[in-house]
Each structure stands twice: as structure tokens, then as C-alpha cells.
Amino acid sequence: MADDIKILVVDDEKIIVRSVQMILKAEGYDIEGASSGKDAILKIEQKNYDLVLTDLMMPEMDGISLIRWLKENRPEVGVVILTGYPSQETIKEALELGIIDYIPKPFTPAVLLDVTLRAIDWLNKKAAIEEKPRKDEFPPSMIEEIDRVIKKYKHKPGSSIPVLQRCQQIVGYLPPEVQKRVAKGLNLSPAQVHSIVSFYSFFTMTPRGDHNIRVCLGTACYVKRIEESLNKIKDELKIDVGGVTEDKKFSIEAVRCLGACGLAPVIVVDEETYGAMTPKKVTEILKNYA
Ligand code: FES
């Protein structure tokens, strides 16, 4: 239930706080706002939030300091960054601190909702990884191959991404059990591995169908009504974003920008880009893959 999730949005720009509150409240989330890192800490000390959405550049106490405070004092709280100027270094630092994701400003309501849903899913899976160790569900040969990859890269610095890429090739996706195995093998925390997996779009935590459909929810596509085409795809395939059809033929993924804004609204099926998308075109395109 959305109203079980308590969210705090932290930004010195009042308009951002107000619009995030408006969008998430309309979806039933329990959301409050704070105008600075210090204000956020005061609120967090009095109430248990599940998720904090925070800006990085704020006067007095910046977002990274707030994230550090959270990791020391409330490690169970998930963090998503809202930022206009994400430098590689800052994002890297934030990832190492275990953030879930970041949303570049300006963002559309669809992107905000998508990232919020994925962050909640992240928190649920993280709890599952940490609290309920599950029996391996993969064939022993798969486990052996995963362990061989881990062993090969174990002492090489910065090897988490190549190891995860190889594991994804072996298993087809990166479920919590595999992430946990990689974390243990590389001496990382499950949260660190989980951050990396959810941050890079080439990783997937759910199995993909034979044909993966990526639907862009970025600004250019959103203003050109990509949602109408997305709804059509969901209706035709009878699955939601993140789902796979029963025959495993199709899966749908939502992304923020496919780098083809001039063709907006855009979807990509496997490696093929389709621009100027409309619900009518969706039906024709899907027929080609049936
Ligand atoms: S916003 Fe859709 S391709 Fe860039």
C-alpha cells in the first residue's frame, strides 16, 4: 500500500518540494518536505521515513553530508538523489554510500513515479536479502560458473561491474541471490551491490522476455504523450512495466532517456528504435515480433 510508505523530500527549492509532494501525494504516498539537510535531520529524528529524496547542492548542509548522516544513523532508510548537475565523482561517491538511484532535474511526473516505485521495490528486496537468506535456486553448474567469475576478478579493483555483467550473462538477470553471492565474494555489502545493479540500466533484476521493450519516460517523450503508447503496450501484452508475458516472449522496461529525443516519443524493441510512437503504431510493431 502506497500510504504505508513514508517519504521525505529535501530541497532548498520550494517549487521542487511542492511539486514532488503533489505528485506523490496524488498516488497515495505519505510524503513530507524539508528545505535543508538540517531541517531533514530534525524531521528524521522524530519520524521513521522509508525513503528520502534529496537534492545535493543545498546551503549549510549539502546532500552528500545528509546521506552520510543517514548511513550512520538510519541505514535502513533508502535514498534517491534529485539533482540538476550530477558530476561523475559525486554520483560515484553517492553510489559508494549506497544510494538507490538518482533523478536528473528537470524530471517528469512519470520518471518520479517510476523511480519511487523502483526504490520501494529496492527496499523490499534489500530487506529480503538481508533478513531471509534463501536457498540457491539455480543449477549447481550456474553457481559454479558464478563462483569462477568471482574468483577470477576477486583481487582486481573496480571489478564489481564486469563480475555482475558476466553473472547476468550466465543467469539472464540479477536476482537477490546472485547479488548476495557477488557481494560476499567481492567483500562488498549487499546494499552496495544492489545500488550498482539498480543504477546502471544495462542490469536487470527481473528476467527479460525474448523481446525486451524499452519505453522512454524522459521529458521529451513525456510531453509528446508516450504514456498513451505505454498503456497500449501494457494492454496488448497484459503485463505491467517490469513484467514478462506468460510465454516469455515480451518484457517491458521503463527508462528515462534513450538518447533519441529528436524522435520523441520513442520506444526501443531489442536494439531497434521506433520514433514518433503512437498507440496505433504499437499494435503494428508488436505484430512484427509475434
Ligand atoms: S526523452 Fe525520450 S529519448 Fe530522450
Side-chain angles (χ1 to χ4, degrees), residues 11 13 16 54-57 81-87 91 102-107:
D11 202 309
E13 286 181 79
I16 299 280
T54 180
D55 186 19
L56 284 182
M57 288 162 70
I81 287 176
L82 309 169
T83 180
Y85 313 97
S87 75
I91 292 297
Y102 82 93
I103 309 179
K105 292 183 201 167
F107 47 82

Side-chain angles (χ1 to χ4, degrees), residues 1 11 15 20 69 72 77 110 117 124 150-151 162 168 171-172 186 188 192 200 206 213-214 241 251 282 290:
M1 288 284 291
D11 202 309
I15 178 102
V20 170
W69 183 91
E72 272 165 31
V77 177
L117 275 176
N124 291 337
I150 293 172
K151 200 171 162 199
Q168 183 162 288
V171 182
L186 298 182
L188 298 169
Q192 279 173 308
Y200 292 101
T206 47
I213 305 170
R214 286 182 287 157
V241 171
S251 49
V282 162

Side-chain angles (χ1 to χ4, degrees), residues 216-222 256-262 264-266:
C216 180
L217 299 181
T219 310
C221 292
Y222 188 77
R256 278 170 250 171
C257 178
L258 286 159
C261 309
V266 181

Side-chain angles (χ1 to χ4, degrees), residues 133-205:
R134 287 166 57 182
K135 265 184 47 207
D136 292 324
E137 286 171 358
F138 306 101
S141 58
M142 238 179 213
I143 304 282
E144 275 165 28
E145 214 175 327
I146 289 173
D147 288 346
R148 250 198 310 276
V149 175
I150 293 172
K151 200 171 162 199
K152 182 173 162 201
Y153 284 92
K154 200 175 172 70
H155 301 293
K156 294 188 184 158
S159 59
S160 50
I161 292 178
V163 169
L164 288 165
Q165 278 177 316
R166 204 44 213 108
C167 291
Q168 183 162 288
Q169 281 167 358
I170 296 165
V171 182
Y173 65 113
L174 294 168
E177 298 81 1
V178 173
Q179 292 177 43
K180 202 177 170 191
R181 203 164 188 98
V182 171
K184 199 169 170 212
L186 298 182
N187 277 330
L188 298 169
S189 70
Q192 279 173 308
V193 170
H194 203 57
S195 281
I196 295 166
V197 173
S198 36
F199 184 75
Y200 292 101
S201 58
F202 44 81
F203 290 132
T204 176
M205 285 185 257

Side-chain angles (χ1 to χ4, degrees), residues 69-97:
W69 183 91
L70 278 165
K71 293 297 156 191
E72 272 165 31
N73 298 280
R74 295 281 198 280
E76 71 285 2
V77 177
V79 180
V80 169
I81 287 176
L82 309 169
T83 180
Y85 313 97
S87 75
Q88 282 300 322
E89 292 70 41
T90 315
I91 292 297
K92 194 165 165 271
E93 188 180 357
L95 270 177
E96 278 162 7
L97 285 168

